[in-house]
Coordinates of all heavy atoms in Angstrom, one line a residue:
M1 N -21.3 -9.2 -33.6 CA -22.0 -10.0 -34.6 C -23.4 -10.4 -34.1 O -23.5 -10.8 -33.0 CB -21.1 -11.3 -34.9 CG -21.8 -12.3 -35.8 SD -20.5 -13.4 -36.3 CE -20.9 -13.4 -38.0
P2 N -24.4 -10.2 -35.0 CA -25.8 -10.5 -34.5 C -26.0 -11.9 -34.3 O -25.4 -12.8 -35.0 CB -26.6 -10.0 -35.7 CG -25.8 -9.1 -36.5 CD -24.4 -9.5 -36.3
D3 N -26.8 -12.2 -33.3 CA -27.2 -13.6 -33.1 C -28.3 -14.1 -33.9 O -28.8 -13.3 -34.8 CB -27.5 -13.9 -31.6 CG -28.7 -13.1 -31.1 OD1 -29.4 -12.6 -32.0 OD2 -28.9 -13.0 -29.9
S4 N -28.8 -15.3 -33.7 CA -29.9 -15.8 -34.6 C -31.2 -15.0 -34.4 O -32.1 -15.1 -35.3 CB -30.1 -17.3 -34.3 OG -30.5 -17.4 -32.9
L5 N -31.3 -14.2 -33.4 CA -32.6 -13.4 -33.2 C -32.4 -12.0 -33.7 O -33.3 -11.2 -33.6 CB -32.9 -13.4 -31.7 CG -33.3 -14.7 -31.1 CD1 -33.5 -14.6 -29.6 CD2 -34.5 -15.4 -31.7
G6 N -31.2 -11.7 -34.3 CA -31.0 -10.4 -34.9 C -30.5 -9.4 -33.9 O -30.4 -8.2 -34.2
H7 N -30.2 -9.8 -32.7 CA -29.6 -8.9 -31.7 C -28.1 -8.7 -32.0 O -27.5 -9.6 -32.6 CB -29.7 -9.4 -30.3 CG -31.2 -9.5 -29.8 ND1 -31.8 -10.7 -29.8 CD2 -32.0 -8.6 -29.4 CE1 -33.0 -10.5 -29.4 NE2 -33.2 -9.2 -29.2
G8 N -27.6 -7.5 -31.6 CA -26.2 -7.3 -31.8 C -25.3 -8.2 -31.0 O -25.9 -9.1 -30.3
G9 N -24.1 -8.1 -31.0 CA -23.2 -9.0 -30.3 C -23.3 -8.8 -28.8 O -24.3 -8.3 -28.2
D10 N -22.2 -9.1 -28.0 CA -22.2 -9.0 -26.6 C -22.6 -7.6 -26.1 O -23.1 -7.5 -25.0 CB -20.8 -9.4 -26.0 CG -20.5 -10.9 -26.3 OD1 -21.5 -11.6 -26.4 OD2 -19.4 -11.2 -26.3
S11 N -22.2 -6.6 -26.8 CA -22.4 -5.2 -26.3 C -23.9 -4.9 -26.2 O -24.3 -4.0 -25.5 CB -21.7 -4.2 -27.2 OG -22.2 -4.2 -28.5
D12 N -24.8 -5.6 -27.0 CA -26.2 -5.4 -26.9 C -26.9 -6.2 -25.9 O -28.1 -6.1 -25.7 CB -26.9 -5.7 -28.3 CG -26.6 -4.6 -29.3 OD1 -26.1 -3.5 -28.9 OD2 -26.8 -4.8 -30.5
C13 N -26.2 -7.0 -25.2 CA -26.7 -7.9 -24.2 C -26.9 -7.2 -22.9 O -26.0 -6.8 -22.2 CB -25.8 -9.1 -24.0 SG -26.4 -10.3 -22.7
P14 N -28.2 -6.9 -22.5 CA -28.4 -6.1 -21.2 C -27.8 -6.8 -20.0 O -27.3 -6.1 -19.1 CB -29.9 -6.1 -21.1 CG -30.5 -6.4 -22.4 CD -29.4 -7.2 -23.1
G15 N -27.8 -8.1 -19.9 CA -27.2 -8.8 -18.8 C -25.7 -8.5 -18.7 O -25.2 -8.3 -17.6
R16 N -25.1 -8.5 -19.8 CA -23.6 -8.3 -19.8 C -23.3 -6.8 -19.4 O -22.4 -6.6 -18.6 CB -23.0 -8.6 -21.2 CG -21.5 -8.5 -21.1 CD -20.9 -9.0 -22.4 NE -21.3 -10.4 -22.7 CZ -20.5 -11.5 -22.4 NH1 -19.4 -11.3 -21.8 NH2 -20.9 -12.7 -22.6
R17 N -24.1 -5.9 -19.9 CA -23.9 -4.5 -19.6 C -24.1 -4.3 -18.1 O -23.4 -3.6 -17.4 CB -24.8 -3.6 -20.4 CG -24.3 -3.2 -21.8 CD -25.0 -2.0 -22.3 NE -26.4 -2.1 -22.3 CZ -27.2 -2.6 -23.2 NH1 -26.7 -2.9 -24.4 NH2 -28.5 -2.6 -23.1
N18 N -25.2 -4.9 -17.6 CA -25.5 -4.7 -16.2 C -24.4 -5.4 -15.3 O -24.1 -4.9 -14.3 CB -26.9 -5.3 -15.8 CG -28.0 -4.5 -16.4 OD1 -27.8 -3.3 -16.7 ND2 -29.2 -5.1 -16.5
G19 N -23.9 -6.5 -15.8 CA -22.9 -7.2 -15.0 C -21.6 -6.4 -15.0 O -20.9 -6.3 -14.0
S20 N -21.3 -5.7 -16.1 CA -20.1 -4.9 -16.2 C -20.3 -3.7 -15.2 O -19.3 -3.3 -14.5 CB -19.8 -4.4 -17.6 OG -19.5 -5.5 -18.4
A21 N -21.4 -3.1 -15.3 CA -21.7 -1.9 -14.4 C -21.6 -2.4 -12.9 O -21.1 -1.6 -12.1 CB -23.1 -1.3 -14.7
L22 N -22.2 -3.5 -12.6 CA -22.2 -4.0 -11.3 C -20.7 -4.3 -10.8 O -20.3 -3.9 -9.7 CB -23.0 -5.3 -11.2 CG -23.0 -6.0 -9.8 CD1 -23.7 -5.0 -8.8 CD2 -23.8 -7.3 -9.9
A23 N -19.9 -4.9 -11.7 CA -18.5 -5.1 -11.3 C -17.8 -3.8 -11.1 O -17.0 -3.7 -10.2 CB -17.8 -5.9 -12.4
A24 N -18.0 -2.8 -12.0 CA -17.4 -1.5 -11.8 C -17.8 -0.8 -10.5 O -17.0 -0.3 -9.8 CB -17.7 -0.6 -13.0
T25 N -19.1 -0.9 -10.2 CA -19.6 -0.3 -9.0 C -19.0 -1.0 -7.7 O -18.6 -0.4 -6.8 CB -21.1 -0.4 -8.9 OG1 -21.6 0.3 -10.1 CG2 -21.7 0.2 -7.6
L26 N -18.9 -2.4 -7.8 CA -18.4 -3.1 -6.7 C -16.9 -2.8 -6.5 O -16.5 -2.5 -5.4 CB -18.5 -4.6 -7.0 CG -18.0 -5.6 -5.9 CD1 -18.7 -5.4 -4.6 CD2 -18.1 -7.0 -6.4
L27 N -16.1 -2.7 -7.6 CA -14.7 -2.3 -7.5 C -14.6 -0.9 -6.9 O -13.7 -0.7 -6.0 CB -14.1 -2.4 -8.9 CG -12.6 -2.0 -8.9 CD1 -11.8 -3.0 -8.0 CD2 -12.1 -2.1 -10.3
A28 N -15.4 0.0 -7.3 CA -15.3 1.4 -6.8 C -15.6 1.4 -5.3 O -15.0 2.1 -4.6 CB -16.3 2.3 -7.6
N29 N -16.6 0.6 -4.9 CA -17.0 0.6 -3.5 C -15.9 0.0 -2.7 O -15.6 0.5 -1.5 CB -18.3 -0.1 -3.3 CG -19.5 0.7 -3.7 OD1 -19.4 1.9 -3.7 ND2 -20.6 0.0 -4.0
I30 N -15.2 -1.0 -3.2 CA -14.1 -1.7 -2.4 C -13.0 -0.7 -2.3 O -12.4 -0.5 -1.2 CB -13.7 -3.0 -3.1 CG1 -14.8 -4.1 -3.0 CG2 -12.3 -3.4 -2.6 CD1 -14.5 -5.3 -3.8
Q31 N -12.7 0.0 -3.4 CA -11.5 0.9 -3.3 C -11.9 2.1 -2.4 O -11.0 2.6 -1.7 CB -11.2 1.4 -4.7 CG -10.6 0.4 -5.6 CD -10.5 0.8 -7.1 OE1 -11.2 1.7 -7.5 NE2 -9.6 0.2 -7.8
A32 N -13.1 2.6 -2.4 CA -13.5 3.7 -1.6 C -13.5 3.3 -0.1 O -13.1 4.1 0.8 CB -14.9 4.1 -1.9
S33 N -13.9 2.0 0.2 CA -13.8 1.6 1.6 C -12.4 1.4 2.1 O -12.2 1.5 3.3 CB -14.7 0.3 1.8 OG -14.0 -0.8 1.2
E34 N -11.5 1.1 1.2 CA -10.1 0.9 1.6 C -9.4 2.2 1.8 O -8.4 2.3 2.6 CB -9.3 0.1 0.6 CG -9.7 -1.4 0.6 CD -9.1 -2.2 -0.5 OE1 -8.4 -1.6 -1.4 OE2 -9.2 -3.4 -0.5
A35 N -9.8 3.3 1.1 CA -9.1 4.6 1.1 C -9.0 5.2 2.5 O -8.0 5.6 2.9 CB -9.8 5.5 0.2
P36 N -10.1 5.2 3.3 CA -10.0 5.8 4.7 C -9.0 5.0 5.5 O -8.3 5.6 6.3 CB -11.4 5.7 5.2 CG -12.3 5.6 4.0 CD -11.5 4.9 3.0
H37 N -8.9 3.7 5.4 CA -8.0 2.9 6.1 C -6.6 3.3 5.8 O -5.7 3.4 6.7 CB -8.3 1.4 5.9 CG -7.3 0.5 6.7 ND1 -7.4 0.4 8.0 CD2 -6.3 -0.3 6.3 CE1 -6.4 -0.4 8.4 NE2 -5.8 -0.9 7.4
R38 N -6.3 3.4 4.5 CA -5.0 3.8 4.0 C -4.6 5.2 4.5 O -3.5 5.5 4.9 CB -4.8 3.7 2.5 CG -4.7 2.3 2.0 CD -4.3 2.3 0.5 NE -5.1 3.1 -0.3 CZ -6.2 2.7 -1.0 NH1 -6.6 1.5 -0.9 NH2 -6.9 3.5 -1.8
I39 N -5.6 6.1 4.5 CA -5.4 7.5 4.9 C -5.1 7.5 6.4 O -4.2 8.1 6.9 CB -6.6 8.4 4.6 CG1 -6.6 8.6 3.0 CG2 -6.5 9.7 5.3 CD1 -7.9 9.2 2.5
S40 N -5.9 6.7 7.2 CA -5.7 6.6 8.6 C -4.3 6.1 9.0 O -3.7 6.6 9.9 CB -6.7 5.7 9.3 OG -8.0 6.2 9.1
E41 N -3.8 5.1 8.3 CA -2.5 4.5 8.5 C -1.4 5.6 8.2 O -0.5 5.8 9.0 CB -2.2 3.3 7.7 CG -3.0 2.1 8.1 CD -2.7 0.9 7.2 OE1 -2.1 1.0 6.1 OE2 -3.2 -0.2 7.6
A42 N -1.6 6.3 7.1 CA -0.6 7.3 6.7 C -0.6 8.5 7.7 O 0.4 9.0 8.1 CB -0.9 7.8 5.3
L43 N -1.8 8.8 8.2 CA -1.9 9.9 9.1 C -1.3 9.5 10.5 O -0.5 10.3 11.1 CB -3.4 10.3 9.4 CG -3.7 11.4 10.4 CD1 -3.0 12.7 9.9 CD2 -5.2 11.6 10.5
A44 N -1.5 8.3 10.9 CA -0.9 7.8 12.2 C 0.6 7.8 12.1 O 1.3 8.2 13.0 CB -1.5 6.4 12.5
E45 N 1.1 7.4 10.9 CA 2.5 7.3 10.7 C 3.1 8.7 10.7 O 4.2 9.0 11.3 CB 2.9 6.6 9.4 CG 4.3 6.4 9.2 CD 4.6 5.6 7.9 OE1 3.8 4.7 7.6 OE2 5.6 6.0 7.2
S46 N 2.4 9.7 10.0 CA 2.9 11.0 10.0 C 2.9 11.7 11.4 O 3.9 12.4 11.7 CB 2.0 11.9 9.1 OG 2.2 11.4 7.7
L47 N 1.9 11.4 12.1 CA 1.8 12.0 13.5 C 2.9 11.4 14.4 O 3.5 12.1 15.2 CB 0.4 11.7 14.1 CG -0.7 12.5 13.5 CD1 -2.1 12.1 14.0 CD2 -0.5 14.0 13.7
H48 N 3.2 10.1 14.2 CA 4.2 9.5 15.0 C 5.6 10.1 14.6 O 6.4 10.4 15.5 CB 4.2 8.0 14.8 CG 5.3 7.2 15.5 ND1 5.3 7.1 16.9 CD2 6.4 6.6 15.1 CE1 6.3 6.4 17.3 NE2 7.0 6.1 16.2
S49 N 5.8 10.2 13.4 CA 7.1 10.8 12.9 C 7.2 12.2 13.4 O 8.3 12.6 13.9 CB 7.1 10.8 11.4 OG 8.3 11.3 10.9
R50 N 6.1 13.0 13.3 CA 6.2 14.4 13.8 C 6.5 14.4 15.3 O 7.3 15.3 15.8 CB 4.9 15.1 13.5 CG 4.9 16.6 13.9 CD 3.6 17.2 13.7 NE 2.7 16.8 14.8 CZ 1.5 17.3 14.9 NH1 1.0 18.2 14.1 NH2 0.7 16.8 15.9
D51 N 5.9 13.5 16.1 CA 6.2 13.4 17.5 C 7.7 13.1 17.8 O 8.3 13.7 18.6 CB 5.3 12.4 18.1 CG 5.5 12.3 19.6 OD1 5.4 13.4 20.3 OD2 5.6 11.2 20.2
L52 N 8.2 12.2 17.0 CA 9.6 11.8 17.2 C 10.5 13.0 16.8 O 11.5 13.3 17.5 CB 10.0 10.6 16.3 CG 9.5 9.3 16.8 CD1 9.7 8.2 15.7 CD2 10.1 8.9 18.1
V53 N 10.2 13.8 15.8 CA 11.0 14.9 15.4 C 10.9 16.0 16.5 O 12.0 16.6 16.9 CB 10.5 15.5 14.0 CG1 11.2 16.9 13.8 CG2 10.8 14.5 12.9
N54 N 9.7 16.2 17.1 CA 9.6 17.2 18.2 C 10.4 16.7 19.4 O 11.1 17.6 20.0 CB 8.2 17.3 18.5 CG 7.4 18.2 17.5 OD1 8.0 19.0 16.8 ND2 6.1 18.0 17.5
R55 N 10.4 15.4 19.7 CA 11.2 14.9 20.8 C 12.7 15.1 20.6 O 13.4 15.5 21.5 CB 10.9 13.5 21.1 CG 9.6 13.2 21.7 CD 9.4 11.7 21.9 NE 8.0 11.4 22.3 CZ 7.6 10.3 22.7 NH1 8.5 9.3 22.8 NH2 6.3 10.1 23.0
A56 N 13.1 14.8 19.4 CA 14.5 14.9 19.0 C 15.0 16.4 19.1 O 16.1 16.7 19.6 CB 14.8 14.3 17.7
C57 N 14.1 17.3 18.6 CA 14.4 18.7 18.7 C 14.6 19.1 20.1 O 15.5 19.8 20.5 CB 13.3 19.5 18.0 SG 13.4 19.6 16.2
G58 N 13.7 18.6 21.0 CA 13.8 19.0 22.4 C 15.1 18.5 23.0 O 15.7 19.2 23.9
I59 N 15.5 17.3 22.7 CA 16.7 16.7 23.2 C 17.9 17.6 22.8 O 18.8 18.0 23.6 CB 16.9 15.3 22.7 CG1 15.9 14.4 23.4 CG2 18.3 14.8 22.9 CD1 15.8 13.0 22.7
L60 N 18.0 18.0 21.5 CA 19.1 18.8 21.0 C 19.0 20.2 21.6 O 20.1 20.8 22.0 CB 19.0 18.9 19.5 CG 19.3 17.6 18.7 CD1 19.2 17.9 17.2 CD2 20.7 17.1 19.0
M61 N 17.8 20.7 21.8 CA 17.7 22.0 22.4 C 18.2 22.0 23.8 O 18.9 22.9 24.3 CB 16.2 22.5 22.4 CG 15.7 22.8 21.0 SD 13.9 23.0 21.0 CE 13.6 24.4 22.0
Q62 N 17.9 21.0 24.6 CA 18.3 20.9 26.0 C 19.8 20.6 26.1 O 20.5 21.3 26.9 CB 17.5 19.8 26.7 CG 17.7 19.7 28.2 CD 18.9 18.9 28.6 OE1 19.3 17.9 27.9 NE2 19.5 19.3 29.7
R63 N 20.3 19.7 25.3 CA 21.8 19.4 25.3 C 22.7 20.5 24.9 O 23.8 20.6 25.4 CB 22.0 18.1 24.4 CG 21.7 16.8 25.0 CD 22.1 15.8 24.1 NE 22.1 14.5 24.7 CZ 22.4 13.4 24.1 NH1 22.8 13.4 22.8 NH2 22.4 12.2 24.7
H64 N 22.3 21.2 23.8 CA 23.2 22.2 23.2 C 22.7 23.6 23.2 O 23.2 24.5 22.5 CB 23.4 21.7 21.7 CG 23.9 20.3 21.6 ND1 25.2 19.9 21.9 CD2 23.3 19.2 21.1 CE1 25.3 18.7 21.7 NE2 24.2 18.2 21.2
S65 N 21.7 23.9 24.0 CA 21.1 25.2 24.2 C 20.7 25.8 22.8 O 21.1 27.0 22.5 CB 22.1 26.2 24.9 OG 22.3 25.7 26.2
L66 N 20.0 25.1 22.0 CA 19.6 25.5 20.7 C 18.2 26.0 20.7 O 17.4 25.7 21.5 CB 19.7 24.3 19.7 CG 21.1 23.7 19.5 CD1 20.9 22.5 18.5 CD2 22.1 24.7 18.9
T67 N 17.9 26.8 19.7 CA 16.5 27.2 19.5 C 15.8 26.1 18.7 O 16.5 25.2 18.2 CB 16.4 28.5 18.6 OG1 16.9 28.2 17.3 CG2 17.1 29.6 19.3
V68 N 14.5 26.1 18.6 CA 13.8 25.0 17.9 C 14.2 25.0 16.4 O 14.4 24.0 15.8 CB 12.3 25.2 18.1 CG1 11.7 26.4 17.4 CG2 11.6 23.9 17.6
D69 N 14.4 26.2 15.8 CA 14.8 26.2 14.4 C 16.2 25.7 14.2 O 16.5 25.0 13.3 CB 14.8 27.7 13.9 CG 13.3 28.2 13.8 OD1 12.4 27.4 13.6 OD2 13.1 29.4 13.8
M70 N 17.1 26.0 15.2 CA 18.5 25.5 15.1 C 18.5 23.9 15.3 O 19.2 23.2 14.6 CB 19.3 26.1 16.1 CG 19.6 27.6 15.9 SD 20.3 28.5 17.3 CE 21.9 27.7 17.5
A71 N 17.7 23.4 16.2 CA 17.6 22.0 16.4 C 17.0 21.3 15.2 O 17.6 20.2 14.8 CB 16.7 21.7 17.7
L72 N 16.0 21.8 14.6 CA 15.4 21.2 13.4 C 16.4 21.2 12.3 O 16.6 20.3 11.5 CB 14.1 21.9 13.0 CG 13.4 21.3 11.8 CD1 13.0 19.9 12.1 CD2 12.1 22.2 11.5
A73 N 17.2 22.3 12.1 CA 18.2 22.4 11.1 C 19.3 21.4 11.3 O 19.8 20.8 10.3 CB 18.8 23.8 11.0
E74 N 19.6 21.2 12.5 CA 20.7 20.1 12.9 C 20.2 18.7 12.5 O 20.9 17.9 12.0 CB 21.0 20.2 14.3 CG 22.0 19.1 14.8 CD 23.3 19.1 14.1 OE1 23.7 20.1 13.5 OE2 24.0 18.0 14.2
L75 N 18.9 18.5 12.8 CA 18.3 17.2 12.5 C 18.3 17.0 10.9 O 18.7 15.9 10.4 CB 16.9 17.0 13.0 CG 16.8 16.8 14.5 CD1 15.3 16.8 14.9 CD2 17.4 15.5 14.9
M76 N 18.0 18.0 10.2 CA 17.9 17.9 8.8 C 19.3 17.7 8.2 O 19.5 16.9 7.3 CB 17.3 19.2 8.1 CG 15.8 19.2 8.4 SD 14.9 20.5 7.5 CE 15.6 22.0 8.2
R77 N 20.3 18.4 8.8 CA 21.7 18.2 8.4 C 22.2 16.8 8.6 O 22.8 16.2 7.7 CB 22.6 19.2 9.1 CG 24.1 19.2 8.7 CD 25.0 20.1 9.5 NE 25.1 19.6 10.9 CZ 25.8 18.6 11.3 NH1 26.4 17.9 10.4 NH2 25.8 18.2 12.6
R78 N 21.8 16.2 9.7 CA 22.2 14.8 10.0 C 21.5 13.9 9.1 O 22.1 12.9 8.6 CB 21.8 14.5 11.5 CG 22.6 15.2 12.5 CD 22.2 14.8 13.9 NE 22.9 15.5 14.9 CZ 22.9 15.2 16.2 NH1 22.2 14.2 16.6 NH2 23.6 15.9 17.1
A79 N 20.3 14.1 8.7 CA 19.5 13.3 7.8 C 20.2 13.3 6.4 O 20.3 12.3 5.8 CB 18.1 13.7 7.7
R80 N 20.5 14.5 6.0 CA 21.2 14.6 4.7 C 22.5 13.9 4.7 O 22.9 13.2 3.7 CB 21.4 16.1 4.3 CG 20.1 16.7 3.7 CD 20.5 18.1 3.1 NE 21.1 19.0 4.0 CZ 20.4 19.8 4.8 NH1 19.1 19.8 4.8 NH2 21.1 20.6 5.6
R81 N 23.3 14.1 5.7 CA 24.6 13.5 5.8 C 24.6 12.0 5.8 O 25.4 11.3 5.2 CB 25.4 14.0 7.1 CG 26.8 13.6 7.1 CD 27.5 14.1 8.4 NE 27.0 13.5 9.6 CZ 26.7 14.2 10.7 NH1 26.9 15.5 10.8 NH2 26.2 13.5 11.7
K82 N 23.6 11.4 6.5 CA 23.4 10.0 6.5 C 22.5 9.4 5.5 O 22.2 8.2 5.5 CB 22.9 9.6 7.9 CG 23.9 9.8 9.0 CD 23.5 9.2 10.3 CE 24.6 9.4 11.4 NZ 24.3 8.7 12.6
N83 N 22.1 10.3 4.6 CA 21.1 9.9 3.5 C 19.9 9.1 4.1 O 19.6 8.0 3.6 CB 21.9 9.1 2.4 CG 21.1 9.0 1.2 OD1 20.3 9.9 0.9 ND2 21.3 7.9 0.4
S84 N 19.3 9.7 5.1 CA 18.2 9.1 5.8 C 17.1 10.1 5.9 O 17.2 11.2 5.3 CB 18.7 8.7 7.2 OG 17.7 8.0 7.9
T85 N 16.0 9.7 6.5 CA 14.8 10.6 6.6 C 14.9 11.3 8.0 O 15.6 10.8 8.9 CB 13.5 9.8 6.6 OG1 13.5 8.9 7.7 CG2 13.4 9.0 5.3
L86 N 14.3 12.4 8.0 CA 14.2 13.2 9.3 C 13.6 12.3 10.4 O 14.0 12.3 11.5 CB 13.4 14.5 9.0 CG 13.3 15.5 10.1 CD1 14.7 16.0 10.5 CD2 12.5 16.7 9.7
G87 N 12.5 11.6 10.0 CA 11.9 10.7 11.0 C 12.8 9.6 11.5 O 12.8 9.3 12.7
Q88 N 13.6 9.0 10.7 CA 14.5 8.0 11.1 C 15.6 8.5 12.0 O 16.0 7.9 13.0 CB 15.1 7.2 9.9 CG 15.9 6.0 10.3 CD 15.1 5.0 11.1 OE1 14.1 4.6 10.7 NE2 15.6 4.6 12.3
I89 N 16.2 9.6 11.6 CA 17.2 10.3 12.4 C 16.7 10.6 13.8 O 17.3 10.4 14.8 CB 17.8 11.5 11.7 CG1 18.6 11.1 10.4 CG2 18.7 12.4 12.6 CD1 19.8 10.3 10.7
S90 N 15.5 11.2 13.8 CA 14.9 11.5 15.1 C 14.6 10.3 15.9 O 14.9 10.3 17.1 CB 13.5 12.3 14.8 OG 13.8 13.5 14.1
A91 N 14.1 9.2 15.3 CA 13.8 8.0 16.0 C 15.1 7.4 16.6 O 15.1 6.9 17.8 CB 13.2 7.0 15.1
D92 N 16.2 7.5 15.8 CA 17.5 7.0 16.3 C 18.0 7.8 17.5 O 18.5 7.2 18.5 CB 18.5 7.0 15.2 CG 18.3 6.0 14.1 OD1 17.4 5.1 14.3 OD2 18.9 6.1 13.0
L93 N 17.8 9.1 17.5 CA 18.3 9.9 18.5 C 17.5 9.7 19.8 O 18.0 9.5 20.9 CB 18.2 11.4 18.1 CG 18.6 12.4 19.2 CD1 20.1 12.3 19.5 CD2 18.3 13.8 18.7
V94 N 16.2 9.6 19.7 CA 15.3 9.3 20.8 C 15.6 8.0 21.4 O 15.7 7.8 22.6 CB 13.8 9.5 20.4 CG1 12.9 9.0 21.5 CG2 13.5 10.9 20.1
A95 N 15.7 7.0 20.5 CA 16.0 5.6 21.0 C 17.3 5.6 21.7 O 17.5 4.9 22.8 CB 16.0 4.6 19.8
G96 N 18.3 6.3 21.3 CA 19.6 6.3 21.9 C 19.5 6.9 23.3 O 20.2 6.4 24.3
I97 N 18.7 8.0 23.5 CA 18.6 8.6 24.8 C 17.8 7.7 25.7 O 18.2 7.5 26.9 CB 17.8 9.9 24.6 CG1 18.6 11.0 23.8 CG2 17.3 10.5 26.0 CD1 19.9 11.3 24.5
L98 N 16.8 7.0 25.2 CA 16.0 6.1 26.0 C 16.9 4.9 26.5 O 16.8 4.5 27.6 CB 14.8 5.6 25.3 CG 13.7 6.7 25.0 CD1 12.6 6.1 24.2 CD2 13.2 7.2 26.3
A99 N 17.7 4.4 25.6 CA 18.6 3.3 25.9 C 19.6 3.7 27.0 O 20.0 3.0 27.9 CB 19.3 2.8 24.7
A100 N 20.1 5.0 26.9 CA 21.1 5.5 27.8 C 20.5 5.7 29.2 O 21.1 5.5 30.2 CB 21.7 6.8 27.3
L101 N 19.2 6.0 29.2 CA 18.5 6.2 30.5 C 18.1 4.9 31.2 O 18.0 4.9 32.4 CB 17.3 7.1 30.3 CG 17.5 8.5 29.8 CD1 16.2 9.2 29.6 CD2 18.3 9.3 30.9
G102 N 17.8 3.9 30.4 CA 17.2 2.7 30.9 C 18.1 1.6 31.1 O 18.1 0.7 31.8

């Protein structure tokens, strides 16, 4: 709706348009600056999980004279049977070995 000076409504207000653009830019910058942190956390978690899986495979290989493929298949079978993740099954196996040693 035009104001008393004949300008259009809020959408014709340069200040409001600039404010909206500024808010959108600010939000985009905040989201962009958080993305590397989230990616870094996810990458660190993935690397840790991969390390645990490799350790667990090594334990199974040594204990049962398995190949790496056989050990990985055994970990996956255990994960399915317990309705768990490969990372959690591996962490449990490694923790059990460490507890037995220490």
Side-chain angles (χ1 to χ4, degrees):
M1 172 164 229
D3 62 14
S4 61
L5 298 175
H7 295 103
D10 291 339
S11 63
D12 285 345
C13 179
R16 186 169 304 261
R17 276 198 310 266
N18 289 341
S20 296
L22 180 61
T25 301
L26 180 60
L27 180 59
N29 285 336
I30 289 170
Q31 289 171 338
S33 69
E34 290 175 352
H37 180 68
R38 285 193 307 268
I39 291 170
S40 295
E41 286 177 351
L43 180 58
E45 186 177 321
S46 293
L47 291 173
H48 179 69
S49 179
R50 184 183 72 174
D51 184 50
L52 286 172
V53 170
N54 286 335
R55 288 182 190 188
C57 279
I59 291 167
L60 292 177
M61 290 168 65
Q62 189 274 328
R63 279 186 168 178
H64 305 289
S65 300
L66 301 176
T67 66
V68 68
D69 290 336
M70 293 166 66
L72 184 57
E74 174 62 19
L75 288 173
M76 290 188 296
R77 185 185 64 75
R78 291 179 184 192
R80 280 192 302 271
R81 188 178 67 225
K82 293 189 176 189
N83 197 27
S84 187
T85 65
L86 188 58
Q88 187 59 54
I89 292 296
S90 298
D92 292 347
L93 179 64
V94 171
I97 293 299
L98 294 176
L101 294 175

